[in-house]
Amino acid sequence: MEKLVSSWFNNKTLPQSYIFPPETRPGNHVIPRCNTIPVVDLSKALAHERTAVVQQILEASQEFGFFQVINHGVSENLVNDTMNVFKEFFELPSEDKAGIYSEDLKRPCRLYTSSPNYNREKVHLWRDSLRLPCHPLKECIKIWPQKPTRYKEIVAAYSIEAKKLGLRILELLSEGFGLGSGFFGDKLSESAVLLLNHYPPCPDPSLTLGVSKHCDPNLLTILLQGDVYGLQVLKDGEWIGVEPLHNAFVVNIGHQLEIISNNKLKSAEHRAVTNLKVARTTAAFFINPSDDCIIEPAKSLIGTDESPVYRAFEFKEFLLNYINMEGNFEKSVEPFKLHG
């Protein structure tokens, strides 16, 4: 528990173990907050503009690997209650969080700091994280935190809605590619994990990171980033900031969607920067294949003049390599590429 940033950060200078090398730290230069990150109005997909929405999602997933969704069907009250209860959790006294803190990587629900590789890291991340498995929900909820008292009720309702939203977006992507209804159902989207990240105010945001550059290893991520800026996406070699929008979700394409699309979709590298004055709390809902799900490029997406870029593999094989490679983009996918 004493390793948690939130337990010791007050009135401290930035420890050396949190200072990133010059080439990877954010520095003092201003990153533009990009208004060109596509914003998709999902309510239009229910009407005569469905085809246009599908095309907008496809284009955003190909060019950016990121987009935001509004009018998504998740009630604003639930979104607000969820974010409030997440913040309440991280503000709990240490004794109320001690029972869920763990450095055991095999423990499915746990509070930890920096990353699962804390003891192997050269530099630590300025964040505390709570990992919550969400499938099957009736079983997972039993091991969730007991406090705050509303926690289980609100987060259970939220996880159901986040999964519905993710499946809806996957269905629109499937439609756009002509893969047929339900292509991303069953094992491809069976598992779900909620990762809460809490970034306390940082004494020098120019020297450290909340999350270092990476791509998500899963299928699709639904991110509730709240109203505090911190998300940056790498596009064409330049970092751009993703402006928080009221009652919106950020959607990003995971490695598995890139592979299934045979590189037609883009899993974009992204990172989180810290803030000097206020804390930032976010919730990433990861939709994952089941461990034994076979991942490979969809045959109908491989043109007559091209070959599959990747071999078939089980998702758990990819995930193990991703963890061992500490999320490195090229090293994570290299063993699964077909060459020649």
Side-chain angles (χ1 to χ4, degrees), residues 223-275:
L223 175 69
L224 177 59
Q225 72 161 340
D227 55 3
V228 179
Y229 166 72
L231 175 63
Q232 297 179 347
V233 178
L234 191 64
K235 186 178 189 298
D236 301 326
E238 299 289 336
W239 287 107
I240 55 176
V242 181
E243 189 75 33
L245 298 180
H246 176 69
N247 199 36
F249 289 100
V250 178
V251 180
N252 68 294
I253 303 301
H255 272 310
Q256 307 314 306
L257 262 181
E258 181 172 3
I259 291 166
I260 291 167
S261 72
N262 208 40
N263 283 354
K264 290 177 174 61
L265 299 185
K266 176 183 181 181
S267 180
E269 292 180 292
H270 53 287
R271 69 184 184 183
V273 294
T274 58
N275 188 291

Side-chain angles (χ1 to χ4, degrees), residues 15 35 124 150 195 232:
N35 293 321
H124 300 313
R150 306 180 306 150
L195 184 67
Q232 297 179 347

Side-chain angles (χ1 to χ4, degrees), residues 68-301:
Q68 299 204 61
V69 292
I70 58 174
N71 298 324
H72 38 66
V74 184
S75 82
E76 185 171 353
N77 284 341
L78 178 59
V79 170
N80 291 338
D81 285 347
T82 301
M83 182 55 77
N84 287 337
V85 84
F86 290 157
K87 291 177 180 178
E88 287 172 26
F89 170 80
F90 285 108
E91 291 169 358
L92 288 171
S94 295
E95 55 268 25
D96 288 333
K97 294 183 288 190
I100 203 163
Y101 178 85
S102 177
E103 296 180 19
D104 181 1
L105 299 183
K106 294 181 180 179
R107 184 169 169 177
C109 179
R110 66 191 186 95
L111 173 66
Y112 60 94
T113 194
S114 187
S115 84
N117 294 308
Y118 182 91
N119 292 322
R120 293 166 44 194
E121 292 170 344
K122 293 179 181 178
V123 186
H124 300 313
L125 300 171
W126 190 266
R127 71 162 179 183
D128 297 330
S129 297
L130 175 63
R131 182 189 188 275
L132 301 170
C134 299
H135 178 85
L137 184 57
K138 286 185 178 180
E139 294 301 314
C140 293
I141 199 172
K142 297 176 184 177
I143 58 173
W144 287 2
Q146 299 293 327
K147 293 182 179 181
T149 53
R150 306 180 306 150
Y151 189 93
K152 290 185 178 183
E153 175 189 353
I154 291 173
V155 178
Y158 174 79
S159 66
I160 291 170
E161 293 303 312
K163 182 72 176 287
K164 285 181 184 177
L165 175 59
L167 292 178
R168 184 180 171 196
I169 292 167
L170 288 169
E171 187 70 10
L172 292 169
L173 280 169
S174 179
E175 188 175 317
F177 275 132
L179 292 172
S181 180
F183 178 86
F184 290 107
D186 300 326
K187 285 192 170 186
L188 271 174
S189 58
E190 181 179 85
S191 181
V193 173
L194 188 57
L195 184 67
L196 312 183
N197 289 320
H198 181 68
Y199 312 93
C202 178
D204 194 340
S206 70
L207 298 178
T208 191
L209 286 166
V211 179
S212 54
K213 183 177 73 171
H214 71 289
C215 291
D216 289 350
N218 55 309
L219 193 69
L220 192 75
T221 302
I222 307 294
L223 175 69
L224 177 59
Q225 72 161 340
D227 55 3
V228 179
Y229 166 72
L231 175 63
Q232 297 179 347
V233 178
L234 191 64
K235 186 178 189 298
D236 301 326
E238 299 289 336
W239 287 107
I240 55 176
V242 181
E243 189 75 33
L245 298 180
H246 176 69
N247 199 36
F249 289 100
V250 178
V251 180
N252 68 294
I253 303 301
H255 272 310
Q256 307 314 306
L257 262 181
E258 181 172 3
I259 291 166
I260 291 167
S261 72
N262 208 40
N263 283 354
K264 290 177 174 61
L265 299 185
K266 176 183 181 181
S267 180
E269 292 180 292
H270 53 287
R271 69 184 184 183
V273 294
T274 58
N275 188 291
L276 179 64
K277 296 182 179 179
V278 296
R280 178 172 181 255
T281 301
T282 65
F285 188 86
F286 300 117
I287 297 178
N288 300 315
S290 61
D291 284 350
D292 61 350
C293 182
I294 301 298
I295 307 295
E296 61 183 333
K299 293 178 176 56
S300 62
L301 297 184

